[in-house]
Amino acid sequence: MSNRIEVLKTYKTYIGGNFPRTESGRYYKVYDGNGNILANACQCSRKDVRDAVVAARSTVEGWSNRTAYNRGQILYRIAEMLETRKAQFIEELETIGYKSKGAKAEVNDSIDRLIYYAGWADKYQQVFGTINPVASSHFNFSMPEPTGVVNVWAPEEQPLLGLISVITPVIVGGNTCVVLASEQYPLCAVSFAEVLNSSDVPGGVVNILTGFREELLEHMTTHMDVNAFFYTDPDIDQDQRKQIDENGALNLKHIVRKPVENWQDKETQSPYFITEFQETKTTWHPVGY
Amino acid sequence: MAEEQETAEQVEEETFKPSSPTSKLNFKDVWTYDDAPQSTDHAKIDDQYGHFIDGTFQEPVKGRYLPSINPATEEELSSIAEGTQQDVDKAVKSARKAYTKIWSKIDASERGKYVFRLARLIQERAREFAIIESLDGGKPIRESRDVDIPLAAAHFFYYAGWADKLDYAFPGKKAHSLGVAGQIIPWNFPLLMLAWKVAPALATGNTVVLKPAETTSLTALKFAELCRDAGLPEGVVNIVTGTGQTGSLIVNHEDVDKIAFTGSTEVGKIIMKSLAGTDKKYTLELGGKGPNIIFEDAPVDQAVEGIINAIFFNQGHVCCAGSRLLVQEGIADRIIQKLRDRMETLIVGDPLDKNTDIGAINSEQQYNKINEYLELGVNEGAEMYQSSCTLPEQGYFCRPTLFTNVSQSSRIVREEIFGPVLTIQTFRTAEEGIEKANNTAYGLAGGVWTDKGSKIFKVGSKIRNGVVWANTYNHFDPTSPFGGYKESGKGREGGLQGLYPYVKLEN
């Protein structure tokens, strides 16, 4: 009797609702908590970033035109899918060194965070939109609208909860995004892509890449068809931070930096994370007979 | 028979009426306008102004001054101080001291009362401010009197009332002031831009170092007098004059917590770059190339008035000007004909004349820039039409101009001209119109003209602009947030949303 050989998973990227390998053909090794090799992850290149941005851009219109109710439903659906796959994610987190209690907590918090933002889908416009009492005969109102394509660096720590905490406020507001997963712990990001793919999120709304921050920084922050860049690493190197800001000036990207130490903190979920990726549109309409 | 003849004669006379739908608008043959100049007696302008720092006018440390020119006569009106590092240091120090010692400590309701006082003082001296604004900037007195100054006062009124109500503005959060705000404003609406920046800054508890544009500093310096008259604590508002160089000293000053800039996209990018890696907050109100979309079902005469107002208001020196006209094909010829007729009636001339529609181009530099674009347009193969109005012999004046036969890639379509120059393109379907409207790096403001309400909301929601004017254009109000998408800037000014850039939010 021979032992059964385990089938290992090939971790790919997630672009436009598909799971392609990186076009670069490169990889890097990902280790577990004990320093054993877990898998190979794609070492994405500039071309992958560009492909992902194309996918994200072509999806913005369709995604932002969905009703707020529908977007809320879809976010809730992601939570449902994640709930049924809890065991898989707990196990994945355990392999990278989480204690079982901590892993369970992170997965539960991740699901709850999705629910939290799902509920905002059809409310943030009511809270942050205004009717403006102008001193002329006009009906004048201001509404938040999605800014477009957002490039995101997922947090390096808390690779599932952090990832979900940065993706969700971006997409709930009708934006699409290109996310670079945690460099050290990219695997549950790719697994989360499978969750997205089996929920009702249209392909291209969330695109997930794996690779090196250092290498992709320039490509993710200089792309001229990207409207915002979002990062949360609390201990980012000052030179990198400066470079991100400077690159943003090329086409006036919104550079959003929210340093977060612990994503389990309830204060790290907020409708102000949604409004960071919104523009305010003011419409004037004459009033008369 | 005799009776009939009389009637015939009368009919013939009536054909000259400007309201006749079949004839061109022709006022000139019917009547002429007498000069109606606004007297300047009431406005006092000193020969020379220092910086306003710590509640007093102070000579610039290096002693350098710049001339302030009246663009309508090319004569020197006054001279203003040129701010150097030492001046900016003094101003920031004064603002910091006023912030820590006084302004951050007084009750919000008292703070609001100071801002109310400023609003009232502007109203009381409205005439003087309007005259100086027109003398200094070249804009028609009608606009400075009826738009710039009343709106500036209204902004102070609006934000004054917010001072003690900030807890209601940010759901779930507490708002705190930032500290010292560095503010750099442009030359197109000098006092109004000051009001847009100073009013929310003061109301939220910040102190200010403001640099007006070098060609239009006089109303800001007059405003400094108001700060003194209002008894505003010394150092809460500081005004340093000078060129872009002085502005960059404010941007790069270590002890400034926030930068608010209105001006060109080019300079906005430089500012964003120089703030890279710092914790300074910033708002940028930058350039635009506003699409004005006219559908076939639009009320045509209203639309023509709207197009005229969209592009020729303030000589076209408006970042949100409707400088790209997009007309649905079926009515394009009619609109263009009517536009030409209407342009013929525009009076270009003395800004202080109450009949003037279009005043002087703000500076020689801007005048040259516009002329370069006119030449460029012709060289690009566009057809140029200019009104045949007479221009004054002195001063920087430009004829109202429109270009047809342009394409989406023409530079005069893509680049901001900031003058009375309109480009006209056509479209067939709404989708094509929207596509063309959005095909630009800018996203500040745009117009939609149609009789169909549902079309307004659909098109309005698809235009990527911070402001959409439906069946109207170039309206402003302190309660109404203004600002751009894409390369037209970051943040909003005006309204509740305009408070956000001046506060930090805590739980």
Side-chain angles (χ1 to χ4, degrees):
Chain A
M1 190 181 107
S2 63
N3 286 332
R4 181 177 176 272
I5 296 291
E6 202 184 344
V7 178
L8 295 176
K9 178 163 151 186
T10 302
Y11 286 86
K12 301 201 259 182
T13 70
Y14 185 52
I15 297 175
N18 301 309
F19 291 89
R21 288 198 177 87
T22 165
E23 72 75 49
S24 70
R26 301 176 308 176
Y27 74 101
Y28 70 105
K29 288 191 189 318
V30 179
Y31 299 93
D32 69 11
N34 300 319
N36 304 314
I37 293 175
L38 268 179
N40 291 327
C42 292
Q43 188 193 330
C44 288
S45 65
R46 178 186 195 174
K47 180 69 165 66
D48 296 314
V49 171
R50 292 169 67 170
D51 290 348
V53 171
V54 168
R57 173 60 64 195
S58 64
T59 318
V60 170
E61 198 182 351
W63 179 240
S64 61
N65 280 342
R66 292 195 177 228
T67 62
Y69 176 53
N70 183 241
R71 281 204 303 271
Q73 294 260 298
I74 290 175
L75 257 64
Y76 187 81
R77 182 72 180 156
I78 305 172
E80 286 181 346
M81 292 293 102
L82 193 54
E83 183 83 36
T84 60
R85 294 223 213 175
K86 254 163 102 167
Q88 177 198 342
F89 282 94
I90 290 169
E91 199 189 315
E92 270 193 357
L93 289 172
E94 281 170 359
T95 59
I96 58 171
Y98 274 70
K99 297 264 186 306
S100 120
K101 201 176 152 198
K104 207 177 271 178
E106 171 143 344
V107 177
N108 283 338
D109 285 342
S110 299
I111 297 164
D112 292 351
R113 189 132 301 168
L114 281 160
I115 304 283
Y116 172 81
Y117 282 111
W120 269 117
D122 49 7
K123 294 168 195 71
Y124 75 90
Q125 301 90 336
Q126 290 182 305
V127 176
F128 294 97
T130 53
I131 306 265
N132 313 308
V134 295
S136 58
S137 192
H138 291 94
F139 176 55
N140 181 287
F141 61 96
S142 298
M143 283 280 286
E145 281 189 352
T147 190
V149 175
V150 182
N151 278 353
V152 185
W153 274 7
E156 197 52 40
E157 304 295 329
Q158 297 179 287
L160 182 67
L161 178 59
L163 175 85
I164 287 171
S165 299
V166 293
I167 290 177
T168 329
V170 171
I171 64 170
V172 73
N175 301 285
T176 61
C177 59
V178 175
V179 186
L180 180 62
S182 165
E183 187 173 310
Q184 203 182 348
Y185 310 114
L187 299 190
C188 58
V190 182
S191 299
F192 182 65
E194 293 161 13
V195 170
L196 292 172
N197 202 46
S198 62
S199 66
D200 304 316
V201 181
V205 172
V206 181
N207 303 277
I208 298 178
L209 306 178
T210 55
F212 299 149
R213 277 169 161 52
E214 183 82 43
E215 182 191 352
L216 297 178
L217 181 147
E218 190 188 342
H219 310 314
M220 290 190 80
T221 54
T222 58
H223 198 298
M224 296 296 270
D225 200 25
V226 170
N227 302 88
F229 182 77
F230 183 23
Y231 65 117
T232 60
D233 299 351
D235 47 4
I236 188 162
D237 172 75
Q238 177 62 17
D239 287 342
Q240 271 197 343
R241 189 185 157 196
K242 195 165 178 224
Q243 201 194 338
I244 289 168
D245 288 357
E246 283 185 353
N247 290 347
L250 286 172
N251 67 337
L252 290 151
K253 274 181 200 63
H254 295 267
I255 303 291
V256 181
R257 175 171 176 257
K258 299 262 182 203
V260 170
E261 296 283 352
N262 180 9
W263 289 96
Q264 279 178 310
D265 189 341
K266 279 282 180 288
E267 283 173 18
T268 64
Q269 58 181 25
S270 159
Y272 291 91
F273 274 47
I274 305 174
T275 54
E276 286 287 358
F277 305 98
Q278 300 284 304
E279 300 281 1
T280 299
K281 177 181 279 173
T282 300
T283 305
W284 291 70
H285 194 294
V287 172
Y289 292 109
Chain B
M1 285 304 276
E3 245 178 52
E4 262 177 44
Q5 238 169 355
E6 237 175 64
T7 321
E9 269 171 24
Q10 274 170 8
V11 168
E12 210 173 329
E13 261 177 86
E14 273 176 6
T15 57
F16 285 102
K17 274 196 176 173
S19 60
S20 165
T22 52
S23 73
K24 280 169 82 164
L25 297 168
N26 191 355
F27 299 135
K28 271 181 244 158
D29 296 349
V30 186
W31 66 72
T32 54
Y33 288 92
D34 285 334
D35 293 340
Q38 167 73 53
S39 152
T40 59
D41 297 350
H42 191 63
K44 299 270 175 298
I45 302 174
D46 295 347
D47 292 339
Q48 195 174 71
Y49 284 95
H51 305 301
F52 182 70
I53 297 171
D54 213 14
T56 53
F57 282 99
Q58 305 189 1
E59 280 191 24
V61 175
K62 287 260 167 84
R64 288 205 298 259
Y65 287 87
L66 302 161
S68 184
I69 308 288
N70 175 347
T73 60
E74 300 173 53
E75 283 162 10
E76 189 172 322
L77 275 172
S78 179
S79 67
I80 57 160
E82 187 179 355
T84 57
Q85 187 70 55
Q86 290 92 327
D87 301 318
V88 171
D89 285 346
K90 272 166 72 181
V92 173
K93 210 171 151 192
S94 147
R96 175 63 61 194
K97 195 177 94 198
Y99 177 73
T100 16
K101 294 242 163 94
I102 310 164
W103 202 240
S104 62
K105 291 191 173 146
I106 67 168
D107 281 350
S109 55
E110 300 304 307
R111 210 168 66 209
K113 276 154 71 180
Y114 279 114
V115 185
F116 274 124
R117 277 190 185 181
L118 291 170
R120 271 288 193 252
L121 286 167
I122 292 172
Q123 287 179 321
E124 284 167 10
R125 291 169 65 170
R127 180 153 163 184
E128 182 189 6
F129 271 98
I131 293 165
I132 295 175
E133 204 72 311
S134 284
L135 279 171
D136 197 19
K139 63 174 67 209
I141 186 79
R142 234 178 40 207
E143 289 176 5
S144 54
R145 184 192 62 196
D146 300 345
V147 181
D148 290 63
I149 311 303
L151 260 181
H155 268 272
F156 279 99
F157 258 106
Y158 175 74
Y159 279 110
W162 267 121
D164 55 355
K165 299 168 194 70
L166 295 174
D167 286 349
Y168 297 89
F170 308 100
K173 299 274 180 184
K174 273 244 174 287
H176 301 277
S177 56
L178 300 169
V180 176
Q183 310 186 316
I184 295 148
I185 57 172
W187 44 258
N188 56 344
F189 295 95
L191 187 72
L192 183 58
M193 292 298 109
L194 175 147
W196 281 26
K197 299 229 172 349
V198 174
L202 296 189
T204 47
N206 301 283
T207 57
V208 163
V209 175
L210 175 119
K211 189 201 83 73
E214 71 263 30
T215 61
T216 57
S217 295
L218 297 183
T219 43
L221 295 162
K222 279 275 155 188
F223 176 78
E225 293 175 10
L226 301 192
C227 293
R228 230 164 30 181
D229 295 350
L232 197 67
E234 288 162 3
V236 171
V237 170
N238 302 276
I239 293 170
V240 178
T241 52
T243 61
Q245 184 61 35
T246 311
S248 76
L249 295 171
I250 296 175
V251 169
N252 294 312
H253 200 289
E254 270 186 8
D255 203 25
V256 169
D257 302 288
K258 188 234 149 65
I259 294 295
F261 171 76
T262 297
S264 69
T265 294
E266 186 194 352
V267 176
K269 286 179 178 177
I270 295 170
I271 290 176
M272 187 170 164
K273 210 170 164 186
S274 49
L275 295 176
T278 72
D279 286 320
K280 286 179 199 171
K281 275 190 112 170
Y282 56 90
T283 37
L284 305 169
E285 295 285 348
L286 308 176
K289 194 73 185 169
N292 203 2
I293 310 173
I294 320 291
F295 285 97
E296 278 167 3
D297 59 1
V300 169
D301 288 325
Q302 274 179 52
V304 168
E305 279 312 299
I307 297 162
I308 294 280
N309 178 46
I311 184 62
F312 299 128
F313 178 59
N314 202 38
Q315 297 75 246
H317 301 328
V318 186
C319 46
C320 53
S323 50
R324 283 187 300 143
L325 182 65
L326 299 165
V327 195
Q328 203 162 14
E329 217 169 66
I331 54 163
D333 291 344
R334 208 164 127 219
I335 289 273
I336 292 167
Q337 188 54 52
K338 276 178 179 278
L339 265 181
R340 289 177 166 202
D341 293 348
R342 182 65 177 89
M343 278 163 68
E344 280 299 317
T345 70
L346 294 172
I347 299 170
V348 181
D350 182 3
L352 287 174
D353 191 315
K354 289 159 199 152
N355 293 322
T356 294
D357 295 303
I358 297 177
I361 300 304
N362 185 268
S363 65
E364 187 178 9
Q365 192 193 4
Q366 184 60 24
Y367 177 73
N368 293 337
K369 184 187 156 193
I370 295 168
N371 283 327
E372 277 166 30
Y373 272 110
L374 296 182
E375 204 174 311
L376 177 73
V378 173
N379 290 340
E380 279 183 323
E383 245 167 73
M384 182 168 81
Y385 176 81
Q386 293 191 306
S387 90
S388 63
C389 61
T390 48
L391 300 182
E393 281 169 19
Q394 276 279 292
Y396 314 121
F397 292 91
C398 181
R399 287 176 206 284
T401 306
L402 58 83
F403 278 107
T404 49
N405 196 28
V406 295
S407 65
Q408 196 68 29
S409 60
S410 306
R411 274 183 61 197
I412 52 168
V413 169
R414 303 206 73 78
E415 296 172 18
E416 186 180 36
I417 299 174
F418 226 63
V421 183
L422 180 69
T423 64
I424 304 181
Q425 297 167 269
T426 60
F427 64 92
R428 285 189 182 173
T429 62
E431 286 71 27
E432 188 194 343
I434 292 160
E435 180 74 38
K436 281 183 169 163
N438 287 337
N439 189 337
T440 168
Y442 293 116
L444 193 49
V448 182
W449 296 79
T450 165
D451 241 357
K452 199 174 170 193
S454 58
K455 200 190 277 178
I456 284 172
F457 290 111
K458 181 83 175 177
V459 175
S461 73
K462 284 181 179 281
I463 306 181
R464 305 285 296 155
N465 283 331
V467 178
V468 174
W469 282 292
N471 290 331
T472 180
Y473 209 98
N474 271 342
H475 270 101
F476 304 94
D477 193 279
T479 68
S480 176
F482 179 91
Y485 286 34
K486 300 194 281 187
E487 294 194 15
S488 285
K490 281 176 205 305
R492 294 294 177 267
E493 291 183 305
L496 184 158
Q497 291 84 346
L499 292 167
Y500 185 73
Y502 287 96
V503 294
K504 54 176 174 282
L505 299 180
E506 279 159 20
N507 287 299

